[in-house]
Amino acid sequence: MKNTIAERVADFLKRYPPFNLLNKEQLLEISRQVRIIYLEKDNVVYKQEDTGHDQFYVVHKGAVELKREEKEKVKTVDHCDEGDIFGLRPLFANENYAITAITEEESIVYGIPIDIFKPIATQNLNIGNYLLESFASNTKNPFSKEYTNKLYSDDEILLKNDPEIFDLQPVKYVKKVISAKPSSPIKDVAQLMFDKKVSSVVIKENGSPLGIVTDKDFRNLVATGIVPIENEVSRIMSSPVLCYPKHTTIAQAQISMMKHNVSHLCITKDGTANSKVVGIVSDHDIVLMQGNNPSVLMKAIQKASSTKKLKNIHKKIRVLLKGYIAQNIPLTHITKIIFELNDATIKRVIDRAISKIGEPPVKFAWISLGSQGRKEQLLHTDQDNAIIFEDVPEDKLEEVRAYFLLLATKVNKRLNIIGYEYCNAEMMARNPKWTLSISEWKDQFTRWTTTAGDDEILLCSIFFDYDISYGDSSLTTSLADHIFDITRDNQRFLSMLGVSALRNPSPMGFFRQLLVEKDGEYKDFFDLKKRALMPITDAGRLLILQHRVKNINNTAERFEKLAQLEPENKDLYLSCSYVAKSLLKFRTKHGLMHHDSGRYIELAALTKEEKMKLKRCFKIITQIQELIKFRFNLSHFL
């Protein structure tokens, strides 16, 4: 006889993960065993410290609030509505419930028998992962892997590495490294290379790489007679040598070689020149792929002779990015590669502009601000940039500024043609406000930090996230030193940055109740940048500034450094790092899908799994904002 109730249950469950991953027979088997529970408002499903039930729950209709009692205070952990799963603890461990589940309105929930469902979950990694993420969402640290091994045995936890993503595989290196001492005669080293049939020799001192000599060095320096063959090999070696760790990807190796115009890299034990050499990589060891390979694109950027060609190359970069996102490549790898390609594009545009208008009158630095400055610009968003130039006599100042404003106008225009939109706030180098001498910049920051109002805080925030894209790094180093000097022990300024970081509280709660835009082009859309990305970015900036750490601008890397500096908050900071990468990847994915910046999200279009992952991120944002509120004593400001 046909079981219409079971079929109706199955029709509901298959709309939501992880049940949508089951085949028809599995879904019907579970649906026949489902217990349908009708609950009035304020009915308790289970209480904190109750013995675990033999089932977990799915909300069919209504809403369920999850609460935890800590130190005589009751905190709301989460809200569950249609399709949400809760009560998973008995599935993972024989432990009492750690939270209370209570209905917020009249509800219907489905009880899913654990003894029926668990064998299916352990056989399907995707189902198990979703359940782990759902369960973690209601723990103190939603990114903890504490319970992974309670669902899977060790041999069931799989690590995937798609062999089709050639350029993101670890680079293969030659392990038998031929080496010599820096005092060795050039003639002896040349004979060694001939005997061993190699194109390079690593010059080592105390086991660590001091430099490298290649056949190119012999051709350019010895064969031409510039350096006599009787001299020590240290006279012709390239030093310092570029060093990378064992698991460096093919893409990273290729890009590094092209960026620094070298043909060899050293692989060392810890990736630095201070440890033992374990291998050597040459450009001949890497077979370049055709198509949208990052090294091919890098080479094309460096040789591009027109803005039109750069624009076409950047269309291929978008294809490359789309492939990486689709293949679920770790965001750390993606951001490094896309940053280098964006950075190379900016350099090429500036080089071409200088060739048109002539060499600059003094040293200068072109700095990229915002997402590019943080190495987080994956999609083409708007331009944020500025120029710092060397101090000149007062009577020459405006003449020199005029040159750099002309340069900036040409560069900004070309970047716009390539696909980088103009900044609506005109925070670009072509604006005289953002093309200043080093002294003017220092004076500007001094004013911003001593008269810290809302506008000054906003400007400071933007200029704390910068990266030099072109020019003399001594200028940016000088400015960074000045900034850290004037912010030393400036608690008022740090407190104002803290207030700014808390202006957009984490959007916890039901998705149907999230704050959305009330009017304009994006009415009823969720602003992912303002409500999620900015809060986590602002928090990382403030906390790393408090520790006076320089030269780490990437949000995820800032939190990873903070985890080292504050072991007592390690778990929270590492979770923040994960959230920063997760939100950026989420924005990139939706931007590629809708051919826009990915900033505004249509909530109705999100899958249940996407909503769950976002809610986990929001929870961590709440926690880091609570830490900031307490640390900087900001309760009275808000």
Side-chain angles (χ1 to χ4, degrees):
M1 184 176 176
K2 200 170 183 180
N3 189 337
T4 55
I5 294 178
E7 288 185 347
R8 288 177 184 173
V9 171
D11 285 341
F12 173 82
L13 291 178
K14 71 182 181 183
R15 291 158 48 194
Y16 302 102
F19 306 102
N20 59 344
L21 300 172
L22 301 173
N23 60 43
K24 187 175 181 181
E25 290 72 23
Q26 290 172 324
L27 190 59
L28 278 173
E29 179 187 357
I30 290 169
S31 298
R32 291 189 190 102
Q33 306 298 323
V34 163
R35 298 158 191 166
I36 302 173
I37 306 166
Y38 299 88
L39 298 165
E40 299 290 334
K41 181 181 178 181
D42 296 328
N43 279 180
V44 174
V45 183
Y46 53 81
K47 288 184 178 181
Q48 189 170 329
E49 298 304 334
D50 278 358
T51 302
H53 297 177
D54 61 355
Q55 60 191 358
F56 65 92
Y57 301 94
V58 181
V59 180
H60 173 58
K61 288 183 180 178
V64 174
E65 185 178 13
L66 305 181
K67 298 180 177 183
R68 180 186 289 114
E69 184 176 342
E70 292 181 349
K71 298 177 181 179
E72 299 183 354
K73 291 184 178 180
V74 178
K75 294 183 178 180
T76 296
V77 174
D78 205 352
H79 301 272
C80 300
D81 52 14
E82 186 175 305
D84 281 336
I85 296 173
F86 65 99
L88 285 165
R89 183 168 290 271
L91 181 66
F92 296 97
N94 185 24
E95 299 173 353
N96 294 345
Y97 289 113
I99 54 179
T100 295
I102 186 169
T103 55
E104 294 188 87
E105 55 190 73
E106 186 179 352
S107 304
I108 299 174
V109 299
Y110 290 162
I112 312 294
I114 290 173
D115 61 342
I116 300 294
F117 192 82
K118 187 168 183 176
I120 297 172
T122 55
Q123 293 169 16
N124 188 314
L125 186 65
N126 291 326
I127 292 175
N129 282 339
Y130 183 84
L131 293 173
L132 283 167
E133 290 186 349
S134 295
F135 175 65
S137 295
N138 297 321
T139 61
K140 289 184 178 179
N141 182 352
F143 299 99
S144 170
K145 298 187 184 299
E146 176 185 357
Y147 292 90
T148 300
N149 292 333
K150 295 184 180 181
L151 180 63
Y152 297 112
S153 61
D154 289 340
D155 58 353
E156 290 173 319
I157 302 171
L158 306 178
L159 293 176
K160 296 182 179 180
N161 186 13
D162 194 333
E164 295 182 8
I165 307 300
F166 170 79
D167 47 282
L168 287 178
Q169 293 181 30
V171 68
K172 293 180 180 179
Y173 53 88
V174 176
K175 295 181 180 179
K176 292 183 179 179
V177 180
I178 308 302
S179 62
K181 295 180 179 179
S183 59
S184 302
I186 292 173
K187 183 178 180 180
D188 291 354
V189 175
Q191 187 64 49
L192 180 65
M193 291 173 67
F194 177 79
D195 293 342
K196 298 294 185 179
K197 295 181 173 57
V198 295
S199 62
S200 65
V201 169
V202 176
I203 309 304
K204 295 197 297 187
E205 196 166 52
N206 299 323
S208 299
L210 184 65
I212 189 167
V213 175
T214 68
D215 48 11
K216 182 179 178 182
D217 297 317
F218 282 93
R219 185 172 65 249
N220 293 347
L221 298 173
V222 181
T224 58
I226 296 174
V227 180
I229 198 168
E230 295 80 13
N231 277 208
E232 293 182 353
V233 73
S234 59
R235 287 283 307 278
I236 65 168
M237 71 179 182
S238 298
S239 180
V241 64
L242 292 177
C243 298
Y244 285 85
K246 290 181 181 180
H247 299 295
T248 296
T249 64
I250 292 170
Q252 286 173 302
Q254 290 173 323
I255 286 178
S256 183
M257 288 179 184
M258 292 187 174
K259 181 178 180 180
H260 298 283
N261 194 27
V262 297
S263 57
H264 293 74
L265 302 176
C266 264
I267 303 299
T268 62
K269 192 172 181 179
D270 67 0
T272 74
N274 302 316
S275 61
K276 182 181 177 182
V277 177
V278 296
I280 190 91
V281 181
S282 76
D283 52 3
H284 296 293
D285 296 327
I286 302 173
V287 179
L288 299 181
M289 294 172 61
Q290 296 299 314
N292 296 319
N293 176 276
S295 62
V296 173
L297 294 172
M298 176 67 82
K299 196 169 185 178
I301 289 168
Q302 292 172 339
K303 291 186 174 182
S305 57
S306 69
T307 304
K308 183 178 179 181
K309 288 183 179 179
L310 285 170
K311 182 177 182 179
N312 290 334
I313 293 167
H314 265 251
K315 289 179 181 177
K316 295 181 179 179
I317 293 175
R318 194 177 179 93
V319 173
L320 177 73
L321 174 61
K322 191 172 184 178
Y324 285 168
I325 294 293
Q327 293 291 338
N328 203 29
I329 301 301
L331 199 77
T332 302
H333 292 305
I334 298 175
T335 52
K336 286 179 180 178
I337 292 167
I338 301 301
F339 167 77
E340 293 292 358
L341 293 171
N342 286 336
D343 199 53
T345 301
I346 295 169
K347 284 181 169 65
R348 186 57 184 154
V349 170
I350 295 173
D351 271 332
R352 293 192 65 250
I354 289 175
S355 70
K356 297 285 186 183
I357 67 174
E359 291 297 314
V362 294
K363 294 177 182 178
F364 80 103
W366 180 284
I367 56 176
S368 294
L369 309 169
S371 57
Q372 177 64 10
R374 294 191 302 272
K375 300 179 176 63
E376 296 169 0
Q377 188 177 51
L378 298 180
L379 298 169
H380 284 180
T381 53
D382 59 352
Q383 297 183 48
D384 293 300
N385 41 59
I387 287 177
I388 308 170
F389 59 85
E390 199 174 20
D391 283 333
V392 295
E394 188 67 30
D395 60 338
K396 295 286 185 182
L397 181 59
E398 294 311 317
E399 179 185 340
V400 170
R401 195 192 318 277
Y403 170 89
F404 288 114
L405 288 174
L406 175 62
L407 173 66
T409 299
K410 290 185 177 296
V411 172
N412 289 149
K413 181 180 178 180
R414 285 165 169 75
L415 289 175
N416 179 253
I417 292 170
I418 290 168
Y420 300 94
E421 296 293 330
Y422 287 129
C423 174
N424 290 332
E426 275 295 316
M427 195 165 288
M428 296 178 288
R430 71 179 187 182
N431 185 337
K433 291 182 179 179
W434 314 128
T435 290
L436 305 173
S437 69
I438 182 64
S439 292
E440 289 175 324
W441 273 116
K442 289 178 179 179
D443 290 342
Q444 181 83 284
F445 267 95
T446 300
R447 287 194 298 273
W448 284 344
T449 55
T450 54
T451 60
D454 289 346
D455 291 341
E456 289 77 18
I457 289 295
L458 173 62
L459 293 170
C460 280
S461 298
I462 293 169
F463 277 86
F464 281 134
D465 299 341
Y466 71 80
D467 183 78
I468 180 170
S469 296
Y470 190 100
D472 192 325
S473 61
S474 66
L475 293 168
T476 53
T477 299
S478 177
L479 180 58
D481 289 342
H482 176 75
I483 292 170
F484 277 88
D485 285 342
I486 62 176
T487 56
R488 186 192 303 273
D489 301 324
N490 189 340
Q491 291 303 315
R492 179 181 180 277
F493 176 69
L494 290 176
S495 293
M496 292 298 288
L497 278 179
V499 171
S500 178
L502 300 178
R503 287 281 162 82
N504 293 302
S506 176
M508 285 295 293
F510 291 118
F511 262 80
R512 64 192 182 210
Q513 295 174 348
L514 285 184
L515 291 172
V516 294
E517 300 303 295
K518 294 182 178 179
D519 50 35
E521 181 182 357
Y522 296 102
K523 186 177 184 293
D524 296 329
F525 279 68
F526 178 69
D527 188 339
L528 187 71
K529 177 182 176 181
K530 181 179 178 181
R531 303 291 180 185
L533 277 164
M534 281 179 62
I536 200 74
T537 300
D538 291 345
R541 181 192 303 114
L542 170 63
L543 293 168
I544 207 73
L545 182 62
Q546 185 193 29
H547 281 281
R548 304 182 60 75
V549 175
K550 301 178 185 177
N551 303 322
I552 301 181
N553 296 337
N554 179 268
T555 303
E557 291 177 4
R558 280 172 166 169
F559 281 112
E560 287 162 11
K561 182 64 177 178
L562 286 165
Q564 297 174 15
L565 295 171
E566 298 181 31
E568 68 277 14
N569 293 315
K570 179 180 177 180
D571 288 346
L572 174 58
Y573 288 148
L574 291 180
S575 293
C576 287
S577 176
Y578 182 94
V579 166
K581 289 183 280 191
S582 182
L583 290 172
L584 180 59
K585 190 169 185 178
F586 186 87
R587 177 179 179 176
T588 303
K589 178 181 175 182
H590 279 262
L592 290 169
M593 189 186 307
H594 301 293
H595 306 287
D596 57 21
S597 69
R599 174 172 179 171
Y600 296 96
I601 306 296
E602 186 180 8
L603 296 180
L606 296 181
T607 66
K608 201 70 182 178
E609 187 171 7
E610 287 176 324
K611 290 180 180 180
M612 182 195 71
K613 289 181 176 180
L614 282 179
K615 287 174 78 172
R616 293 172 70 203
C617 292
F618 298 161
K619 181 175 291 188
I620 289 296
I621 293 172
T622 297
Q623 292 181 21
I624 196 64
Q625 288 184 330
E626 286 296 320
L627 182 147
I628 288 172
K629 190 185 299 183
F630 176 78
R631 177 169 298 183
F632 296 96
N633 192 24
L634 300 178
S635 297
H636 59 288
F637 278 99
L638 302 170

